[in-house]
Amino acid sequence: MEIVFLVEDNPDGGYTATALGQSIFTQADDIETLRVMIRDAVHCHFPDKEKRPKIIQLQNIL
């Protein structure tokens, strides 16, 4: 299973990431931190490791 996030510049600074087809949203000040936050959000949203997406894809709208 794969999950896709749309990554955008936040007008107030930093970046936002929104999952397509899931209720997952996160934000961070830089891209490196955003990647960590996305991974953490996916783990929280899918606590069962067997049902968790194996691939996390980022689509940049920058």
Side-chain angles (χ1 to χ4, degrees), residues 1 3 27 30 32 38-39 42 45 51 54 57:
M1 184 174 156
I3 190 166
Q27 61 187 22
D30 56 73
E32 296 80 22
I38 289 170
R39 191 175 308 117
V42 169
H45 194 77
K51 295 181 181 178
K54 306 296 182 227
Q57 182 179 17

Side-chain angles (χ1 to χ4, degrees), residues 8-31:
E8 300 178 275
D9 283 323
N10 185 339
D12 297 325
Y15 302 93
T16 62
T18 307
L20 298 179
Q22 298 292 333
S23 308
I24 306 174
F25 173 85
T26 192
Q27 61 187 22
D29 291 331
D30 56 73
I31 292 294

Side-chain angles (χ1 to χ4, degrees), residues 4 7 14 17 20 22 33 35 43 45 48-49 56 62:
V4 177
V7 177
L20 298 179
Q22 298 292 333
T33 305
R35 290 178 186 273
H43 284 215
H45 194 77
D48 183 351
K49 188 175 180 178
I56 301 172
L62 306 175

